[in-house]
Amino acid sequence: VRQLRLPHPENPAADHVTISAGYTTCHPQEGQDPHSLIDGADQALYRAKSAGRNCTAGDHSTAAV
């Protein structure tokens, strides 16, 4: 995406389209709620955005989902 340099004049981080991504990993266990995995990735996404955008952030959780 960065190499395409697609114009995005309203973007506060850059004048072109950028991508921020959040990810998490876990060791799933039967009966656990999968929403905690989604919540972890969402929190990581907001950390990536807070770090200046156009980057990734992750959480390598050992918590079960």
Side-chain angles (χ1 to χ4, degrees):
V1 171
R2 181 177 25 196
Q3 291 175 344
L4 293 173
R5 300 208 42 92
L6 300 170
H8 191 333
E10 292 87 29
N11 184 352
D15 61 352
H16 56 280
V17 175
T18 63
I19 292 178
S20 295
Y23 63 90
T24 190
T25 61
C26 70
H27 298 284
Q29 294 181 5
E30 188 174 332
Q32 296 291 324
D33 183 7
H35 291 98
S36 62
L37 181 65
I38 296 167
D39 291 342
D42 191 50
Q43 291 173 14
L45 172 60
Y46 283 98
R47 281 197 308 278
K49 288 182 176 185
S50 293
R53 300 184 180 228
N54 198 30
C55 63
T56 62
D59 173 32
H60 300 286
S61 173
T62 57
V65 174

